Amino acid sequence: MEINNLYNILFREIEKNRNNTVFEIPDEKKIIYKDFENIINTIYINLKNKQVEPGDRICAQTSKSIEVIALYLACLKIGAIYIPLNFDYSIDELKFFIEDSKPKLFILDKKNKYINNDNLKKIIKLTLLEEISSSDCINIKSNIKTNTFNSNDNDIAAILYTSGTTGKPKGAALSHKNLSSNCLSLNKIWKFSSNDILLHALPVYHVHGLFVAINCSILSGSKIIFLPKFDTASVLEYIPKSTVMMGVPTFYNRLIEHKKLNSNLCKNMRVFISGSAPLTIETWNTFFKKTGHKILERYGMTETGMITSNPYLIEKRKAESVGWPLPEVKLRISKENLNLKDHLGEIQVKGPNVFNGYWNKKNKNTDFTKDGFFKTGDIGKIDNEGRVFIVGRQKDLIITGGLNVYPKEVEDHLNKINEIKESAVIGLPDKDFGETVVAVVVMEKNKNLTPKEIQNTILNKLAKFKVPKKFIFISELPRNIMGKIQKNILRDKYKDI
Ligand code: AMP
């Protein structure tokens, strides 16, 4: 009987690829699929020895490593729900995730700054990734077979927290079917094969670096050059040895600044893919001029996986468009409740890739339409060829270097500071990060704080990427008749600072 667990789907061609390299960490190590499977099975047995059962949640806040990918895959195999967490999160944020997801285990590695944190230890026992991935710890007598859990399509494989519109993060619960349908589809349209070498410089706690990049590569038995993070010099060094690169626009903005980037360097590359934030036409054009490559832009979200993609056929790729909906995805532009001109409206999607709702949130009415379409909050249009264009966001979201920040969450923290009367957090254009987080602040009478003092106060509460980089102090926030802060006026007024 065929098992629809994502694990089995990812490894369906493993027999052919057992001796292929799966990961190469420059100057460190190479590992083949066969040995990688052994690490996954070691973790599987260690998790089972810790009584992890299908449906249990496993939180992981670790650095980027082969072992943490093996942990993700071992969770799939057991049927446990994997919850990757950004390394940057504060203790308060972690507390929230633990309360919300009630994990059986909280896994961190030796590089984690909270490893000896008493506040964290008070709420949950910490488990070391190094220990559960080491075969020394296996209880040989345990006699556990590493069978893949026979999951249903709707069983949840992972929860990814996205910072929420209401000020608290929300856990997007993604099923085995959501993830498998998406990577099967991307594999086909992007023509992945076991000859591919993926240059991986993305974080692995996000949909892009984990589900798009890792799932697509493993599914096709390809090799992954696994860089700890994006660093222009090392990416340029490994481009000639790779065939595919996936990145956020910030990566491409940095690469085009470098004089080493040219078409000769990229001659081994099959395709450069971009997503998670808007890619400007300037970046697309400059990259094309310097390398002869037309960046393939795609569009997706944590809640939906990938939704659209430009075509693989180079002549048909187009700058500024995110391409056509993936074969199984229904996409429509809805004008309901919006007063937008021309053919603009909210992008709404339905398909096997779209999640079923947020963890612990029963009421789906705000996120889905009555006929089951997910409301993305992105504003777009479709041209007469069927290509999708994203022109803006209805949701009050800032995307900085590919990471999402909901202003409400930051404002809540700013407004708790006694000296601050009120605040409005906005995203302003930034050449490198796409957008930068800016706080417009009104101080209480006769009170003063420097930007540094404000930053230091909230740094303990919020991940660093959410902390405003710039502060603008004004005496009053602009409001409309209903009393709503007019962020569009602020964005317009300060766009050139
Ligand atoms: P995330 O859940 O972090 O993947 O962020 C999803 C959001 O990123 C989407 O709702 C869009 O607003 C934005 N996004 C993703 N891909 C693109 C793209 N190619 N162009 C413009 N915005 C994008």
Side-chain angles (χ1 to χ4, degrees), residues 354-402:
V354 178
F355 80 144
N356 198 18
Y358 294 101
W359 183 255
N360 278 343
K361 306 262 178 306
K362 291 251 159 23
N363 184 355
K364 297 188 194 168
N365 295 342
T366 45
D367 308 311
F368 290 86
T369 62
K370 283 202 181 91
D371 57 346
F373 277 75
F374 177 64
K375 304 186 214 168
T376 65
D378 290 315
I379 303 292
K381 62 176 182 188
I382 302 179
D383 72 2
N384 50 15
E385 288 184 306
R387 291 180 198 264
V388 179
F389 290 76
I390 299 174
V391 297
R393 278 172 232 141
Q394 185 191 12
K395 52 194 176 191
D396 196 10
L397 168 72
I398 301 167
I399 307 184
T400 178

Short mmCIF file of all heavy atoms in Angstrom, two decimals, residues 354-402:
data_model
loop_
_atom_site.label_atom_id
_atom_site.label_comp_id
_atom_site.label_asym_id
_atom_site.label_seq_id
_atom_site.Cartn_x
_atom_site.Cartn_y
_atom_site.Cartn_z
N VAL A 354 -2.99 24.81 -0.29
CA VAL A 354 -3.45 25.83 0.66
C VAL A 354 -3.80 25.20 2.01
O VAL A 354 -4.54 24.22 2.07
CB VAL A 354 -4.67 26.59 0.10
CG1 VAL A 354 -5.18 27.62 1.10
CG2 VAL A 354 -4.30 27.27 -1.22
N PHE A 355 -3.27 25.77 3.08
CA PHE A 355 -3.48 25.21 4.43
C PHE A 355 -4.96 25.26 4.81
O PHE A 355 -5.76 25.92 4.17
CB PHE A 355 -2.62 25.95 5.46
CG PHE A 355 -3.15 27.29 5.92
CD1 PHE A 355 -2.97 27.68 7.24
CD2 PHE A 355 -3.81 28.15 5.07
CE1 PHE A 355 -3.45 28.91 7.69
CE2 PHE A 355 -4.29 29.37 5.52
CZ PHE A 355 -4.11 29.73 6.84
N ASN A 356 -5.24 24.56 5.91
CA ASN A 356 -6.63 24.43 6.31
C ASN A 356 -6.99 25.41 7.42
O ASN A 356 -8.13 25.48 7.85
CB ASN A 356 -6.81 22.97 6.76
CG ASN A 356 -8.25 22.59 6.79
OD1 ASN A 356 -9.08 23.26 6.18
ND2 ASN A 356 -8.56 21.55 7.53
N GLY A 357 -6.01 26.13 7.93
CA GLY A 357 -6.29 27.10 8.98
C GLY A 357 -5.12 27.23 9.93
O GLY A 357 -4.14 26.49 9.81
N TYR A 358 -5.24 28.17 10.87
CA TYR A 358 -4.15 28.38 11.83
C TYR A 358 -4.34 27.47 13.04
O TYR A 358 -5.47 27.15 13.41
CB TYR A 358 -4.13 29.85 12.28
CG TYR A 358 -3.78 30.80 11.16
CD1 TYR A 358 -4.76 31.53 10.50
CD2 TYR A 358 -2.46 30.96 10.76
CE1 TYR A 358 -4.44 32.39 9.46
CE2 TYR A 358 -2.13 31.83 9.72
CZ TYR A 358 -3.12 32.54 9.08
OH TYR A 358 -2.80 33.39 8.06
N TRP A 359 -3.25 27.07 13.63
CA TRP A 359 -3.25 26.22 14.82
C TRP A 359 -4.02 26.91 15.94
O TRP A 359 -3.81 28.12 16.17
CB TRP A 359 -1.80 25.97 15.24
CG TRP A 359 -1.64 25.07 16.40
CD1 TRP A 359 -1.32 25.42 17.68
CD2 TRP A 359 -1.79 23.64 16.40
NE1 TRP A 359 -1.25 24.31 18.47
CE2 TRP A 359 -1.54 23.20 17.73
CE3 TRP A 359 -2.12 22.70 15.43
CZ2 TRP A 359 -1.60 21.86 18.09
CZ3 TRP A 359 -2.17 21.36 15.79
CH2 TRP A 359 -1.91 20.96 17.11
N ASN A 360 -4.93 26.18 16.56
CA ASN A 360 -5.71 26.74 17.69
C ASN A 360 -6.71 27.83 17.31
O ASN A 360 -7.21 28.51 18.19
CB ASN A 360 -4.80 27.35 18.77
CG ASN A 360 -4.25 26.30 19.70
OD1 ASN A 360 -4.79 25.20 19.73
ND2 ASN A 360 -3.22 26.63 20.44
N LYS A 361 -6.89 28.08 16.02
CA LYS A 361 -7.86 29.13 15.65
C LYS A 361 -9.00 28.45 14.90
O LYS A 361 -8.83 28.04 13.75
CB LYS A 361 -7.23 30.19 14.74
CG LYS A 361 -5.97 30.82 15.30
CD LYS A 361 -6.26 32.14 15.96
CE LYS A 361 -5.03 32.75 16.58
NZ LYS A 361 -4.26 31.94 17.54
N LYS A 362 -10.11 28.32 15.57
CA LYS A 362 -11.24 27.58 14.98
C LYS A 362 -11.97 28.43 13.93
O LYS A 362 -12.40 27.95 12.91
CB LYS A 362 -12.24 27.18 16.07
CG LYS A 362 -11.69 26.11 17.01
CD LYS A 362 -12.39 24.78 16.78
CE LYS A 362 -11.63 23.56 17.25
NZ LYS A 362 -10.62 23.64 18.26
N ASN A 363 -12.05 29.73 14.21
CA ASN A 363 -12.82 30.59 13.33
C ASN A 363 -12.02 30.95 12.07
O ASN A 363 -11.00 31.62 12.14
CB ASN A 363 -13.20 31.88 14.08
CG ASN A 363 -14.08 32.76 13.24
OD1 ASN A 363 -14.33 32.47 12.06
ND2 ASN A 363 -14.54 33.86 13.81
N LYS A 364 -12.51 30.45 10.93
CA LYS A 364 -11.75 30.67 9.69
C LYS A 364 -12.34 31.78 8.83
O LYS A 364 -11.85 32.05 7.74
CB LYS A 364 -11.74 29.37 8.87
CG LYS A 364 -11.04 28.23 9.57
CD LYS A 364 -10.93 27.09 8.59
CE LYS A 364 -10.56 25.81 9.31
NZ LYS A 364 -10.74 24.67 8.44
N ASN A 365 -13.43 32.37 9.33
CA ASN A 365 -14.16 33.30 8.47
C ASN A 365 -13.36 34.50 8.01
O ASN A 365 -13.58 35.03 6.93
CB ASN A 365 -15.43 33.79 9.17
CG ASN A 365 -16.36 32.64 9.39
OD1 ASN A 365 -16.22 31.61 8.74
ND2 ASN A 365 -17.30 32.79 10.33
N THR A 366 -12.41 34.93 8.84
CA THR A 366 -11.65 36.11 8.42
C THR A 366 -10.57 35.75 7.39
O THR A 366 -10.14 36.59 6.63
CB THR A 366 -10.97 36.81 9.63
OG1 THR A 366 -10.39 35.79 10.42
CG2 THR A 366 -11.95 37.63 10.43
N ASP A 367 -10.15 34.49 7.39
CA ASP A 367 -9.04 34.12 6.51
C ASP A 367 -9.50 33.52 5.18
O ASP A 367 -8.79 33.59 4.19
CB ASP A 367 -8.13 33.11 7.22
CG ASP A 367 -7.71 33.60 8.59
OD1 ASP A 367 -7.26 34.75 8.66
OD2 ASP A 367 -7.86 32.86 9.58
N PHE A 368 -10.69 32.88 5.20
CA PHE A 368 -11.18 32.22 3.99
C PHE A 368 -12.52 32.82 3.56
O PHE A 368 -13.29 33.30 4.40
CB PHE A 368 -11.40 30.72 4.27
CG PHE A 368 -10.13 29.94 4.44
CD1 PHE A 368 -9.51 29.87 5.69
CD2 PHE A 368 -9.53 29.30 3.37
CE1 PHE A 368 -8.32 29.15 5.85
CE2 PHE A 368 -8.35 28.57 3.53
CZ PHE A 368 -7.74 28.50 4.77
N THR A 369 -12.81 32.74 2.26
CA THR A 369 -14.13 33.19 1.79
C THR A 369 -15.13 32.05 2.03
O THR A 369 -14.73 30.92 2.33
CB THR A 369 -14.10 33.48 0.26
OG1 THR A 369 -13.79 32.25 -0.40
CG2 THR A 369 -13.06 34.52 -0.09
N LYS A 370 -16.42 32.35 1.83
CA LYS A 370 -17.45 31.32 2.06
C LYS A 370 -17.24 30.12 1.15
O LYS A 370 -17.53 28.99 1.50
CB LYS A 370 -18.84 31.92 1.80
CG LYS A 370 -19.31 32.77 2.95
CD LYS A 370 -20.84 32.89 2.92
CE LYS A 370 -21.31 33.76 4.06
NZ LYS A 370 -21.41 35.19 3.71
N ASP A 371 -16.71 30.36 -0.07
CA ASP A 371 -16.51 29.23 -0.98
C ASP A 371 -15.08 28.67 -0.89
O ASP A 371 -14.59 28.04 -1.83
CB ASP A 371 -16.91 29.59 -2.42
CG ASP A 371 -16.16 30.80 -2.95
OD1 ASP A 371 -15.52 31.51 -2.14
OD2 ASP A 371 -16.18 31.02 -4.18
N GLY A 372 -14.41 28.93 0.23
CA GLY A 372 -13.17 28.20 0.52
C GLY A 372 -11.89 28.75 -0.09
O GLY A 372 -10.88 28.05 -0.12
N PHE A 373 -11.90 29.98 -0.57
CA PHE A 373 -10.65 30.57 -1.08
C PHE A 373 -9.93 31.27 0.07
O PHE A 373 -10.56 31.94 0.90
CB PHE A 373 -10.94 31.60 -2.18
CG PHE A 373 -11.13 30.99 -3.54
CD1 PHE A 373 -12.31 30.32 -3.86
CD2 PHE A 373 -10.13 31.07 -4.50
CE1 PHE A 373 -12.49 29.74 -5.11
CE2 PHE A 373 -10.30 30.51 -5.75
CZ PHE A 373 -11.48 29.84 -6.07
N PHE A 374 -8.61 31.12 0.11
CA PHE A 374 -7.81 31.83 1.12
C PHE A 374 -7.55 33.26 0.66
O PHE A 374 -7.18 33.49 -0.49
CB PHE A 374 -6.48 31.11 1.35
CG PHE A 374 -5.58 31.82 2.32
CD1 PHE A 374 -5.96 31.97 3.65
CD2 PHE A 374 -4.36 32.35 1.91
CE1 PHE A 374 -5.14 32.65 4.57
CE2 PHE A 374 -3.53 33.02 2.82
CZ PHE A 374 -3.94 33.17 4.14
N LYS A 375 -7.78 34.20 1.58
CA LYS A 375 -7.58 35.61 1.24
C LYS A 375 -6.13 35.97 1.54
O LYS A 375 -5.74 36.05 2.70
CB LYS A 375 -8.50 36.48 2.08
CG LYS A 375 -9.98 36.12 1.97
CD LYS A 375 -10.78 37.15 2.75
CE LYS A 375 -11.99 36.57 3.40
NZ LYS A 375 -12.61 37.44 4.37
N THR A 376 -5.34 36.19 0.50
CA THR A 376 -3.90 36.40 0.71
C THR A 376 -3.57 37.76 1.30
O THR A 376 -2.52 37.94 1.88
CB THR A 376 -3.12 36.28 -0.62
OG1 THR A 376 -3.55 37.35 -1.47
CG2 THR A 376 -3.34 34.95 -1.30
N GLY A 377 -4.47 38.75 1.09
CA GLY A 377 -4.15 40.10 1.54
C GLY A 377 -3.21 40.82 0.56
O GLY A 377 -2.82 41.96 0.79
N ASP A 378 -2.84 40.14 -0.53
CA ASP A 378 -2.01 40.79 -1.55
C ASP A 378 -2.93 41.36 -2.63
O ASP A 378 -3.94 40.75 -2.98
CB ASP A 378 -1.04 39.78 -2.19
CG ASP A 378 0.04 39.35 -1.22
OD1 ASP A 378 0.60 40.22 -0.55
OD2 ASP A 378 0.30 38.13 -1.12
N ILE A 379 -2.55 42.52 -3.15
CA ILE A 379 -3.34 43.14 -4.21
C ILE A 379 -2.67 42.86 -5.55
O ILE A 379 -1.46 43.06 -5.69
CB ILE A 379 -3.43 44.68 -4.01
CG1 ILE A 379 -4.01 45.01 -2.63
CG2 ILE A 379 -4.23 45.34 -5.12
CD1 ILE A 379 -5.45 44.65 -2.46
N GLY A 380 -3.47 42.40 -6.50
CA GLY A 380 -2.86 42.07 -7.78
C GLY A 380 -3.81 42.20 -8.95
O GLY A 380 -4.96 42.65 -8.79
N LYS A 381 -3.30 41.82 -10.11
CA LYS A 381 -4.13 41.81 -11.32
C LYS A 381 -3.64 40.67 -12.23
O LYS A 381 -2.54 40.14 -12.03
CB LYS A 381 -4.04 43.15 -12.04
CG LYS A 381 -2.64 43.48 -12.53
CD LYS A 381 -2.61 44.77 -13.33
CE LYS A 381 -1.17 45.00 -13.80
NZ LYS A 381 -0.94 46.26 -14.42
N ILE A 382 -4.49 40.31 -13.18
CA ILE A 382 -4.11 39.28 -14.14
C ILE A 382 -4.19 39.91 -15.53
O ILE A 382 -5.19 40.56 -15.85
CB ILE A 382 -5.10 38.09 -14.06
CG1 ILE A 382 -5.09 37.51 -12.64
CG2 ILE A 382 -4.74 37.00 -15.07
CD1 ILE A 382 -6.05 36.35 -12.42
N ASP A 383 -3.14 39.75 -16.35
CA ASP A 383 -3.19 40.39 -17.67
C ASP A 383 -3.90 39.46 -18.66
O ASP A 383 -4.35 38.37 -18.30
CB ASP A 383 -1.80 40.82 -18.15
CG ASP A 383 -0.93 39.64 -18.55
OD1 ASP A 383 -1.40 38.48 -18.50
OD2 ASP A 383 0.24 39.87 -18.91
N ASN A 384 -4.00 39.91 -19.93
CA ASN A 384 -4.80 39.11 -20.86
C ASN A 384 -4.14 37.81 -21.28
O ASN A 384 -4.75 36.97 -21.93
CB ASN A 384 -5.25 39.95 -22.08
CG ASN A 384 -4.06 40.66 -22.68
OD1 ASN A 384 -2.92 40.30 -22.38
ND2 ASN A 384 -4.31 41.67 -23.50
N GLU A 385 -2.89 37.60 -20.87
CA GLU A 385 -2.25 36.30 -21.11
C GLU A 385 -2.40 35.37 -19.90
O GLU A 385 -1.89 34.25 -19.91
CB GLU A 385 -0.75 36.49 -21.34
CG GLU A 385 -0.39 37.13 -22.67
CD GLU A 385 1.12 37.17 -22.81
OE1 GLU A 385 1.81 37.69 -21.91
OE2 GLU A 385 1.62 36.66 -23.83
N GLY A 386 -3.01 35.91 -18.84
CA GLY A 386 -3.19 35.09 -17.63
C GLY A 386 -2.06 35.23 -16.62
O GLY A 386 -2.03 34.53 -15.61
N ARG A 387 -1.12 36.12 -16.91
CA ARG A 387 0.00 36.31 -15.97
C ARG A 387 -0.47 37.13 -14.76
O ARG A 387 -1.24 38.08 -14.92
CB ARG A 387 1.12 37.12 -16.62
CG ARG A 387 1.87 36.41 -17.71
CD ARG A 387 2.92 37.39 -18.22
NE ARG A 387 3.42 36.99 -19.52
CZ ARG A 387 4.53 36.29 -19.70
NH1 ARG A 387 5.25 35.90 -18.67
NH2 ARG A 387 4.93 35.98 -20.91
N VAL A 388 0.05 36.76 -13.60
CA VAL A 388 -0.33 37.46 -12.38
C VAL A 388 0.72 38.52 -12.04
O VAL A 388 1.92 38.30 -12.19
CB VAL A 388 -0.45 36.45 -11.20
CG1 VAL A 388 -0.82 37.17 -9.90
CG2 VAL A 388 -1.47 35.37 -11.54
N PHE A 389 0.24 39.66 -11.59
CA PHE A 389 1.11 40.76 -11.14
C PHE A 389 0.70 41.13 -9.72
O PHE A 389 -0.49 41.26 -9.45
CB PHE A 389 0.94 42.00 -12.04
CG PHE A 389 1.49 41.82 -13.42
CD1 PHE A 389 0.80 41.07 -14.36
CD2 PHE A 389 2.70 42.40 -13.79
CE1 PHE A 389 1.30 40.89 -15.65
CE2 PHE A 389 3.22 42.23 -15.06
CZ PHE A 389 2.52 41.47 -16.00
N ILE A 390 1.67 41.30 -8.85
CA ILE A 390 1.35 41.77 -7.50
C ILE A 390 1.66 43.26 -7.49
O ILE A 390 2.77 43.67 -7.84
CB ILE A 390 2.21 41.05 -6.44
CG1 ILE A 390 1.94 39.55 -6.50
CG2 ILE A 390 1.93 41.57 -5.04
CD1 ILE A 390 2.83 38.73 -5.62
N VAL A 391 0.68 44.05 -7.09
CA VAL A 391 0.92 45.49 -7.15
C VAL A 391 0.98 46.13 -5.76
O VAL A 391 1.35 47.29 -5.63
CB VAL A 391 -0.12 46.22 -8.01
CG1 VAL A 391 -0.05 45.77 -9.45
CG2 VAL A 391 -1.52 46.00 -7.48
N GLY A 392 0.62 45.39 -4.76
CA GLY A 392 0.68 45.97 -3.41
C GLY A 392 0.12 45.02 -2.39
O GLY A 392 -0.12 43.85 -2.68
N ARG A 393 -0.10 45.54 -1.19
CA ARG A 393 -0.61 44.70 -0.12
C ARG A 393 -1.76 45.40 0.57
O ARG A 393 -1.67 46.58 0.87
CB ARG A 393 0.47 44.45 0.93
CG ARG A 393 1.40 43.36 0.56
CD ARG A 393 2.55 43.32 1.55
NE ARG A 393 3.80 43.32 0.81
CZ ARG A 393 4.88 43.98 1.17
NH1 ARG A 393 4.88 44.70 2.28
NH2 ARG A 393 5.95 43.93 0.44
N GLN A 394 -2.82 44.64 0.80
CA GLN A 394 -3.93 45.16 1.55
C GLN A 394 -3.59 45.05 3.03
O GLN A 394 -3.91 45.89 3.84
CB GLN A 394 -5.14 44.30 1.22
CG GLN A 394 -6.42 44.74 1.80
CD GLN A 394 -7.46 43.63 1.60
OE1 GLN A 394 -7.14 42.50 1.23
NE2 GLN A 394 -8.69 43.95 1.86
N LYS A 395 -2.88 43.96 3.34
CA LYS A 395 -2.51 43.72 4.74
C LYS A 395 -1.38 44.68 5.13
O LYS A 395 -0.56 45.06 4.30
CB LYS A 395 -2.08 42.27 4.92
CG LYS A 395 -1.01 41.83 3.94
CD LYS A 395 -0.84 40.33 3.92
CE LYS A 395 0.16 39.91 2.85
NZ LYS A 395 0.18 38.50 2.61
N ASP A 396 -1.39 45.01 6.40
CA ASP A 396 -0.44 45.98 6.91
C ASP A 396 0.89 45.28 7.22
O ASP A 396 1.27 45.13 8.37
CB ASP A 396 -1.06 46.55 8.19
CG ASP A 396 -0.39 47.82 8.63
OD1 ASP A 396 0.42 48.36 7.86
OD2 ASP A 396 -0.67 48.26 9.75
N LEU A 397 1.55 44.83 6.18
CA LEU A 397 2.72 43.96 6.37
C LEU A 397 3.99 44.62 5.82
O LEU A 397 3.95 45.26 4.78
CB LEU A 397 2.46 42.64 5.63
CG LEU A 397 3.61 41.67 5.42
CD1 LEU A 397 3.98 41.01 6.73
CD2 LEU A 397 3.22 40.60 4.41
N ILE A 398 5.10 44.43 6.54
CA ILE A 398 6.39 44.91 6.05
C ILE A 398 7.22 43.67 5.72
O ILE A 398 7.24 42.72 6.50
CB ILE A 398 7.12 45.73 7.14
CG1 ILE A 398 6.27 46.92 7.57
CG2 ILE A 398 8.49 46.19 6.65
CD1 ILE A 398 6.76 47.60 8.85
N ILE A 399 7.88 43.66 4.55
CA ILE A 399 8.78 42.54 4.25
C ILE A 399 10.20 43.09 4.16
O ILE A 399 10.51 43.89 3.30
CB ILE A 399 8.40 41.81 2.95
CG1 ILE A 399 6.92 41.39 2.98
CG2 ILE A 399 9.27 40.57 2.76
CD1 ILE A 399 6.47 40.58 1.78
N THR A 400 11.03 42.67 5.09
CA THR A 400 12.40 43.19 5.15
C THR A 400 13.38 42.04 4.95
O THR A 400 13.40 41.10 5.74
CB THR A 400 12.62 43.99 6.47
OG1 THR A 400 13.95 44.44 6.49
CG2 THR A 400 12.31 43.21 7.73
N GLY A 401 14.09 42.09 3.85
CA GLY A 401 15.03 41.01 3.51
C GLY A 401 14.33 39.66 3.39
O GLY A 401 14.92 38.63 3.69
N GLY A 402 13.04 39.66 3.02
CA GLY A 402 12.31 38.40 2.84
C GLY A 402 11.60 37.95 4.11
O GLY A 402 10.85 36.99 4.09
#
